[in-house]
Amino acid sequence: MNNSVAAKPIEYRDLIKEVYIDPIRTVVVIDDEFPSLDGLIAEKWYEENGKCGTKEDADKVRDILAACRHKDRRWLVDVHDGKKISTDDDQCIASHLHQSDLMILDYHLDGNEGSGDKAIAILRELATNDHFNMVIVYTKGYGNDAGDLDCVIREIALGLTSNKSGLVLNHQSLNKVTEYLEEWEDEEEGITDKLKATIDENAYLAVNHQLKIDWKKIEKTPEFQEAVLLFESNPNKPSKFKNSLFLRWLVHEQQKKLESKLSSNNLGHVGFRYSENGINWIRTSRLFITVIHKEQNTPDSLPDKLVEALNHWQPEPHRLLMAKMRAALDTRGALAEEEVLDNPCLQAAWFEELLIEDASQRKLNVNKTIERHWEGLGDSVQAEVASFTSKMTDYLCDLDPVEAYKIHCPDGSNSNKTENLAAANCYHCTKAIEGNHLTTGHVLKIGAEFWLCLSPACDLEPGQEKGWLKSLKPNMPFKAVQLHNADIENALKNVNY
C-alpha cells in the first residue's frame, strides 16, 4: 500500500506570496489615532503633549503589532502618528518612513472628517522612490459601508494620475466646439453645463489610463453613453461634427476641472480596480496599494488581504521572476560578498589594479571587476531562482494553453507572432553600451548611417598596438559593417538560432 501523500497543486497566489510577502522584514504604520514611540517619550519624559491616544487606539496598535510579529512573519514594526506630515511634495515625510517593505496607512490623517490629502502626498512620494513599495490603506472610508471604499480608491487613483497632454484640445478644435455650443445655447440655455455633467471622474480615469486611446471604442463605453445620447439629441447637429471631437472636448474640460486633484509629476501608468468581493487594488510601476476597511477586517487578516489583492492584480509571470531575482539578491547577496572578502589574495590583486597610473586602464580594471562580481551575485542566487521558476512553469503547464494565455498573458494570444519574435530577438541579442572603449558588437551611428563593429575584442584593448599600429596612436583601426533597414519577416527567416 502506498502511504505517500500527493503534493499540493501549486497555485498562483502561492508564487505571489513567495515573491511579495515572504521577503517582507520591516513595516511602518501611520495613523493619527495611534500612539507612537515618539509620542510616548514626549509625554512621559518631557511633559509634552505626545498624543498617545485612547486605550481603544492602543489596543488596535497592539493587535497590529501582534499580527506583524506572528511567528510566521516576525516583521519589525514602527508606528508613526501622522504628525509633521505635510502635503508639500518636497517635505512630505521623514526619509526613514518610506524605507520599509510594507506601509499600513490610515487615509484620513487629520481625523475621520478630514481629507485624504496627506495620505495621497505620502503615496506620491513612495511612487517616486527607487523601490517597489506595497501599501495597505487601512481606513474607515467615508462611512461604515464597505462600498464607500470606492470613493477612497477613486481619490487615490486620481491623486496618482498626472495631467495628460494628449487630452488637451488644440485651439482650432476648441474654437470649433465652442462655436457650436454657443449656437446650441441660443436654442437650449444651460446645455453646456448639462453636457459637462454627463461624465464624471470615473469616465476621465477610464480615458487617461488607456495607453492607446481609441475614441470610437470610448464612444461605446458605459461611462460615455449619456453624453453621446444627449449630444445626438440635437436635431441641428452638423453632420461633419464627429462624436469623437465632442468626447475629446468633454474629457478636456474634465481634466481642467480635476487639475488640483491630479499629480503635478508623472508617476507612470496607473491601473486600478474597484472593490469586488472586498478585493481592490491600485498600482503604478513602483507602488501597489490595496484599501481595506478598518471596521470589517482585523489586523491579523491584513497579510492575507494583501495577497488576495496581489493575486487579483495577476502580475505577469515574467514580473514575478524579476521580483524573485530582486528578493533573492537582497537575501543572498551577503553570502556572495563574503566569498570574495574571505580571499585576501584576491583583494590584494584588485587593490593593486586600482593604483595603476594609467587612468584609462584603471577604469577598465574597475569595470571588469564589477562585471565579474555581478556574475558572482547571479551565480549565488541562480539555484533559488531556478527552483522558483520551475514551480511557476509547472503551474502554467498544468493549465489549458488557451486559459493560460487568457489569465497570464492576455495581450499575447492576439498579438502578432512576427512582432513577438522580433521583440524576443532584440532582447536576447542586444544590451546597453558598456565599457570604456569600442569593442566587438558595438553599434555606431555615423551621420545617418549605422555600423556594427566586427573587430575581435582582444584587438581593441588599449595598449595592444604593435608594429605600424603604434604610429596611429591614439587612434586605432577597426573593422565594421554597415547596417541597412530590413523587413522584419524576411530578417527573421534568416536569423541564426
Side-chain angles (χ1 to χ4, degrees), residues 31-234:
D31 194 313
D32 63 314
E33 295 179 345
F34 288 175
S36 67
L37 179 60
D38 292 344
L40 290 170
I41 292 175
E43 187 171 285
K44 178 69 175 178
W45 300 106
Y46 296 96
E47 297 182 354
E48 298 176 5
N49 181 12
K51 193 180 178 182
C52 293
T54 65
K55 184 179 184 303
E56 181 183 358
D57 296 331
D59 288 341
K60 290 179 181 177
V61 174
R62 186 175 63 176
D63 290 342
I64 290 178
L65 293 176
C68 292
R69 293 170 180 170
H70 187 274
K71 61 182 179 65
D72 293 335
R73 304 182 193 103
R74 303 189 185 282
W75 298 337
L76 182 66
V77 189
D78 187 16
V79 180
H80 193 277
D81 59 14
K83 285 184 176 181
K84 299 179 181 178
I85 291 178
S86 91
T87 56
D88 186 335
D89 288 341
D90 296 326
Q91 294 181 335
C92 178
I93 57 176
S95 59
H96 70 280
L97 292 181
H98 58 68
Q99 299 300 322
S100 61
D101 301 315
L102 172 65
M103 178 178 287
I104 300 175
L105 176 66
D106 178 37
Y107 187 63
H108 298 100
L109 292 173
D110 287 320
N112 291 331
E113 303 303 321
S115 71
D117 290 350
K118 284 187 176 180
I120 290 174
I122 292 172
L123 295 173
R124 284 173 179 165
E125 188 166 343
L126 291 175
T128 60
N129 72 29
D130 294 331
H131 306 280
F132 180 76
N133 304 272
M134 293 188 294
V135 180
I136 295 174
V137 175
Y138 197 38
T139 178
K140 296 176 182 176
Y142 286 100
N144 293 322
D145 183 3
D148 287 342
L149 291 185
D150 283 351
C151 182
V152 175
I153 295 166
R154 182 169 57 254
E155 288 181 359
I156 293 174
L158 278 170
L160 296 175
T161 300
S162 61
N163 187 304
K164 203 167 190 175
S165 59
L167 297 178
V168 178
L169 273 185
N170 59 46
H171 290 298
Q172 182 179 355
S173 298
L174 195 57
N175 289 338
K176 185 176 180 179
V177 177
T178 302
E179 290 175 5
Y180 168 68
L181 290 176
E182 286 176 351
E183 294 177 2
W184 197 354
E185 281 283 348
D186 291 338
E187 301 172 5
E188 186 176 346
E189 187 177 350
I191 188 61
T192 302
D193 291 335
K194 287 181 182 178
L195 289 167
K196 289 181 180 180
T198 59
I199 70 166
D200 56 13
E201 296 172 347
N202 288 322
Y204 173 75
L205 288 171
V207 175
N208 184 293
H209 293 169
Q210 291 187 27
L211 298 177
K212 294 182 179 179
I213 298 176
D214 186 334
W215 290 102
K216 289 185 178 179
K217 290 183 178 179
I218 289 172
E219 183 180 336
K220 299 176 183 178
T221 59
E223 292 88 350
F224 288 89
Q225 285 306 292
E226 184 182 354
V228 172
L229 289 173
L230 182 56
F231 179 61
E232 293 183 339
S233 69
N234 183 11

